[in-house]
């Protein structure tokens, strides 16, 4: 899952990025509204953390512009404390949720988690497909109750496919949602990760749809 953080306070930006990375997200970052708007306009994000008070273009304008242009990614806004008008304006502009400053980083993480999973149509942090269970809160994967040890890249691929189960996910989509801007997009690493997931988790969980990508089908829906 790939998240964009738009925050001009350098310390806060660093803290958010560190916490989100630690939680397993791929994170891009911007320190002003214009750059943030550009990234959200051109890159696919699974969630955005957007400060309201930003140089060059304020967060509300950034959000309004995205929504006007049909960008639907979930957006969590960061508002100043006691500025109820920020919250109202932000939600009217298309924010999905807000956190008031100062906040505990855990609250931001919990809200981002909820936004990502709701955007994928899930009410719970735990996704279960056949014997495989993935808990996006703890980052744990089990098969028939037995924990499976995955690298962070393997986990990201599995998490994305499980969130978007029943749908064919292309290699390009995986790369775009799992890596930041600087990643070499021509590499074959996705195939390598899928191969390892088949070995570690289950040989038939991830289906290859020739020429299109990968798909996870829940057993009751399998042909
Ligand atoms: Ca600010």
């Amino acid at each position: 899952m790939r998240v964009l953080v738009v925050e001009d306070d350098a310390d806060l930006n660093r803290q958010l990025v560190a916490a989100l990375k630690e939680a397993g997200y791929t994170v891009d970052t911007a320190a002003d509204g214009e750059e943030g708007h550009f990234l959200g306009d051109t890159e696919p994000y699974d969630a955005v953390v957007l400060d309201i008070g930003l140089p060059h273009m304020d967060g509300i304008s950034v959000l309004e512009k995205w929504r006007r242009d049909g960008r639907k990614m979930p957006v969590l806004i960061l508002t100043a404390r006691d500025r109820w008008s920020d919250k109202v304006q932000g939600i009217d502009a298309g924010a999905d949720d807000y956190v008031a400053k100062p906040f505990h980083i855990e609250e931001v993480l919990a809200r981002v988690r909820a936004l990502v999973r709701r955007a994928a149509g899930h009410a719970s942090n735990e996704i279960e497909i056949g014997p495989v269970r993935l808990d996006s809160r703890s980052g744990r994967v089990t098969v028939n109750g037995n924990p499976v040890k995955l690298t962070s890249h393997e986990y990201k691929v599995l998490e994305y496919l499980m969130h978007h189960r029943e749908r064919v996910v292309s290699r390009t989509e995986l790369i775009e949602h799992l890596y930041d801007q600087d990643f070499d997009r021509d590499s074959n690493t996705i195939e390598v990760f899928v191969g390892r997931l088949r070995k570690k988790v289950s040989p038939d969980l991830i289906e290859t749809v020739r020429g299109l990508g990968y798909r996870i089908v829940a057993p009751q829906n399998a042909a």
Side-chain angles (χ1 to χ4, degrees):
M1 302 289 167
R2 189 170 168 199
V3 176
L4 171 65
V5 172
V6 190
E7 167 63 66
D8 59 317
D9 180 316
D11 278 343
L12 196 50
N13 191 313
R14 247 193 318 272
Q15 280 175 44
L16 285 165
V17 170
L20 286 161
K21 281 190 174 162
E22 170 74 30
Y25 298 97
T26 300
V27 187
D28 287 343
T29 176
D32 68 69
E34 247 165 45
E35 195 195 352
H37 173 265
F38 175 77
L39 285 174
D41 206 35
T42 51
E43 300 287 329
Y45 292 104
D46 298 290
V48 177
V49 178
L50 176 68
D51 187 30
I52 294 297
L54 290 168
H56 305 316
M57 192 193 298
D58 67 87
I60 301 285
S61 307
V62 170
L63 184 54
E64 279 174 348
K65 226 162 164 262
W66 281 338
R67 295 311 191 213
R68 230 179 7 247
D69 295 336
R71 306 276 173 267
K72 295 197 180 86
M73 66 284 200
V75 174
L76 172 73
I77 52 170
L78 305 177
T79 66
R81 191 163 56 136
D82 300 333
R83 287 286 298 272
W84 63 268
S85 56
D86 275 4
K87 295 168 197 162
V88 173
Q89 265 191 307
I91 287 165
D92 281 345
D96 299 274
D97 201 358
Y98 68 85
V99 176
K101 293 177 180 178
F103 48 73
H104 287 283
I105 221 91
E106 281 71 20
E107 183 177 358
V108 173
L109 292 179
R111 290 182 185 277
V112 167
R113 224 163 26 231
L115 288 181
V116 168
R117 104 189 155 223
R118 282 205 302 261
H122 305 297
S124 153
N125 280 314
E126 285 186 23
I127 307 176
E128 214 174 331
I129 297 176
V132 183
R133 175 189 281 251
L134 180 141
D135 183 343
S136 58
R137 193 178 42 198
S138 63
R140 272 168 52 99
V141 175
T142 58
V143 178
N144 292 318
N146 303 311
V148 179
K149 228 174 140 46
L150 299 178
T151 66
S152 73
H153 284 302
E154 291 160 5
Y155 176 83
K156 284 178 187 187
V157 171
L158 183 65
E159 184 190 35
Y160 195 88
L161 290 173
M162 284 181 79
H163 263 94
H164 298 277
R165 62 178 178 251
E166 314 296 336
R167 178 161 85 65
V168 179
V169 176
S170 71
R171 224 160 56 106
T172 310
E173 179 177 343
L174 278 170
I175 289 171
E176 283 181 344
H177 285 265
L178 304 183
Y179 300 105
D180 57 30
Q181 297 142 276
D182 305 323
F183 183 78
D184 169 18
R185 297 189 171 200
D186 295 328
S187 77
N188 293 317
T189 44
I190 294 287
E191 272 142 70
V192 174
F193 295 140
V194 168
R196 287 201 214 134
L197 286 169
R198 284 179 176 141
K199 276 199 196 112
K200 287 187 180 181
V201 179
S202 159
D204 48 12
L205 177 70
I206 302 170
E207 183 189 331
T208 299
V209 183
R210 199 163 253 251
L212 295 175
Y214 302 102
R215 177 170 56 195
I216 287 184
V217 180
Q220 65 267 28
N221 296 319

